């Protein structure tokens, strides 16, 4: 649920897919999060993203420096542009399962899952996190760029179920902000500000809490960087207080980070950016996201697009393309939309995201290829600035995730 990188210091104009893809794509005035003025006061360099003005980086701290700081210490990202919503009523699980591929009924109380909205053709409408809260409702976080289709999708399902006498109510959390606190020092920094024992809050689990004296917050152990981290939902009118409390930590060095570092971090972790790496013409199988098709749901075959998606699982010849990772040769990095070529010069795919990896000091990318070109070790070429750059298909993630997983029984 988002791309930039460099090997040295990056000016804003170097930014790749995240900012460039969304900049100028809306005729509506850009919205501002509750932290906008705070970003400006901290020398945030703002750019349009998914209809909002969001920070790309801060002051003289380069995207590479911010990226590496997150990997080593801890950073705060404003992700308040994401759509937060809650679903109430005794039929809330049936409501959500009518839209997604996940086993929402099978979640434990306080547990969440990454899942997909899919259309009748099996295409991905959006990726989202759904949490079955301890407070008897569902907490949903989906992409800001998909708000204009996600909300109507959920509203239509709500209306349909209500017409059948079902008990379900969808509420958007328009007065809430969301930050991501990411990096190996997250727990040490956040623990003094909460009473919740974070050592017992495992990956994809969620709890309500008072944070830095602010009541009504929700802490979910998740993130988009491949590092240990949390996302904190909070009242918008208290967001600055919480961010300032985190930045004032005496435990470790905490810095603000923007979409530039968030993008390079997620790409190293092999995570998709909706609109770049998957869309409504892409199925979960083609996107390498078959693991988001819950076992029970595959058996019941009752999620949107189940027929088309399950046919691809059973008959590999129906898979039109596959998402793969690339390590590319030194030089200008691959970027969104660049052609992937076979050794004979024929086009076999397209790059969807690419950057110089700050952690690996190599050019990395992901994209879609046709035929047998998805196999690890396959040598291909990427057309970069009218030059063919050699690249090798590799398994993802490029960097192993460091998620705080519950111990196995």
């Amino acid at each position: 649920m988002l791309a930039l990188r460099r090997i040295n210091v990056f000016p804003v104009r170097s930014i790749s897919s995240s900012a460039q893809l969304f900049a100028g794509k809306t005729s509506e005035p850009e919205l501002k999060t509750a932290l906008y003025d705070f970003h400006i006061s901290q020398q945030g360099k703002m750019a349009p993203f998914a209809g909002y003005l969001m920070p790309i980086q801060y002051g003289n701290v380069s995207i590479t420096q911010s990226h590496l700081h997150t990997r080593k210490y801890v950073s705060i990202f404003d992700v308040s542009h994401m759509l937060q919503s809650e679903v109430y009523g005794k039929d809330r699980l049936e409501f959500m399962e009518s839209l997604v591929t996940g086993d929402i009924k099978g979640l434990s109380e306080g547990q969440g899952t990454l899942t997909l909205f899919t259309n009748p053709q099996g295409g991905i409408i959006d990726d989202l996190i759904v949490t079955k809260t301890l407070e008897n409702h569902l907490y949903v976080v989906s992409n800001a760029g998909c708000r204009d289709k996600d909300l109507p999708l959920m509203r239509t399902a709500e209306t349909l179920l209500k017409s059948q006498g079902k008990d379900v109510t969808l509420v958007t959390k328009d007065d809430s902000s969301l930050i991501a606190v990411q990096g190996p020092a997250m727990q040490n920094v956040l623990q003094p500000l909460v009473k919740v024992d974070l050592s017992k809050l495992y990956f994809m689990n969620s709890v309500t809490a008072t944070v830095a004296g602010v009541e009504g917050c929700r802490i979910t152990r998740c993130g988009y960087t491949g590092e240990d981290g949390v996302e904190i939902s909070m009242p918008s009118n208290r967001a600055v207080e919480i961010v300032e409390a985190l930045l004032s930590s005496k435990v470790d060095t905490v810095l603000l980070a923007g979409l530039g570092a968030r993008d390079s971090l997620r790409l190293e972790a092999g995570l998709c950016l909706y609109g770049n790496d998957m869309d409504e013409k892409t199925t979960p199988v083609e996107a390498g996201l078959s693991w988001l098709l819950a076992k029970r749901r595959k058996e019941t075959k009752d999620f949107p697009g189940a027929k088309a998606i399950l046919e691809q699982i059973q008959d590999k010849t129906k898979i039109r393309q596959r998402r793969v990772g690339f390590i590319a040769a030194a030089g200008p990095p691959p970027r969104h939309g660049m052609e992937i070529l076979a050794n004979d010069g024929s086009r076999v795919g397209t790059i969807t995201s690419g950057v110089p990896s700050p952690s690996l000091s190599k050019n990395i990318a992901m994209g879609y290829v046709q035929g047998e070109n998805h196999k690890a070790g396959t040598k291909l070429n990427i057309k970069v600035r009218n030059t063919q750059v050699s690249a090798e298909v590799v398994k993802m993630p490029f960097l192993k995730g460091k998620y705080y997983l519950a111990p196995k029984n």
Side-chain angles (χ1 to χ4, degrees), residues 204-220:
M204 295 308 293
N205 281 259
S206 182
V207 65
T208 55
T210 296
V211 180
V214 178
E215 298 179 350
C217 298
R218 172 170 295 283
I219 303 173
T220 305

Side-chain angles (χ1 to χ4, degrees), residues 36-318:
Y36 176 84
D37 289 340
F38 181 76
H39 296 315
I40 296 299
S41 73
Q42 301 299 307
Q43 298 182 306
K45 297 179 180 179
M46 315 300 285
F49 180 85
Y52 284 78
L53 284 172
M54 300 297 293
I56 302 302
Q57 64 187 97
Y58 294 85
N60 294 321
V61 179
S62 72
I63 290 171
T64 295
Q65 290 168 333
S66 184
H67 176 116
L68 296 174
H69 179 88
T70 307
R71 290 272 183 247
K72 189 173 182 180
Y73 302 106
V74 60
S75 298
I76 301 171
F77 301 81
D78 180 9
V79 291
S80 303
H81 60 305
M82 305 290 279
L83 174 61
Q84 299 182 74
S85 53
E86 294 174 337
V87 187
Y88 295 86
K90 65 182 179 63
D91 297 308
R92 61 189 180 278
L93 302 180
E94 178 184 346
F95 161 83
M96 189 54 63
E97 287 201 351
S98 73
L99 299 172
V100 303
T101 62
D103 183 2
I104 310 305
K105 294 177 181 178
L107 293 174
S108 301
E109 301 295 319
Q111 183 183 23
T113 183
L114 179 65
T115 188
L116 302 169
F117 285 138
T118 45
N119 64 29
Q121 294 74 42
I124 300 170
I125 297 173
D126 197 8
D127 60 313
L128 63 155
I129 292 178
V130 179
T131 300
K132 184 193 283 188
T133 72
L134 295 166
E135 294 77 26
N136 295 317
H137 67 268
L138 298 178
Y139 171 58
V140 182
V141 179
S142 54
N143 285 301
C146 296
R147 182 187 187 103
D148 289 345
K149 59 180 180 177
D150 290 354
L151 261 182
L153 179 74
M154 292 189 285
R155 292 290 186 205
T156 299
E158 176 191 23
T159 300
L160 176 62
L161 287 182
K162 282 183 173 179
S163 72
Q164 299 170 354
K166 302 289 187 178
D167 178 23
V168 61
T169 301
L170 174 68
V171 178
T172 56
K173 293 175 62 66
D174 297 326
D175 57 352
S176 294
S177 291
L178 189 68
I179 63 170
V181 187
Q182 301 284 299
M186 178 281 298
Q187 185 168 305
N188 290 339
V189 168
L190 182 58
Q191 188 62 78
L193 302 179
V194 300
K195 292 182 180 179
V196 175
D197 185 353
L198 296 176
S199 69
K200 296 179 180 178
L201 184 68
Y202 299 108
F203 182 61
M204 295 308 293
N205 281 259
S206 182
V207 65
T208 55
T210 296
V211 180
V214 178
E215 298 179 350
C217 298
R218 172 170 295 283
I219 303 173
T220 305
R221 197 115 187 196
C222 65
Y224 193 52
T225 63
E227 294 293 331
D228 182 23
V230 296
E231 291 184 355
I232 307 174
S233 178
M234 66 199 71
S236 288
N237 61 354
R238 307 290 297 277
V240 173
E241 292 176 51
I242 291 177
V243 172
E244 287 182 333
L246 289 163
L247 289 172
S248 299
S249 172
K250 301 290 193 297
V251 179
D252 217 319
T253 304
V254 185
L255 295 180
L256 295 169
L259 292 183
R262 191 166 184 252
D263 191 63
S264 51
L265 290 160
R266 71 91 189 170
L267 187 49
E268 287 184 347
L271 301 175
C272 291
L273 170 65
Y274 191 86
N276 260 34
D277 308 307
M278 55 183 175
D279 56 29
E280 292 197 44
K281 296 180 180 179
T282 313
T283 70
V285 177
E286 293 167 346
L289 299 175
S290 295
W291 57 280
L292 294 180
L293 308 172
K295 181 180 179 181
R296 178 178 65 80
R297 304 303 305 281
K298 287 190 288 186
E299 292 171 351
T300 56
K301 304 177 182 179
D302 60 352
F303 56 88
K307 183 177 184 296
I309 293 169
L310 296 177
E311 281 181 353
Q312 286 189 328
I313 293 176
Q314 295 158 2
D315 182 358
K316 300 295 189 291
T317 64
K318 294 184 179 296

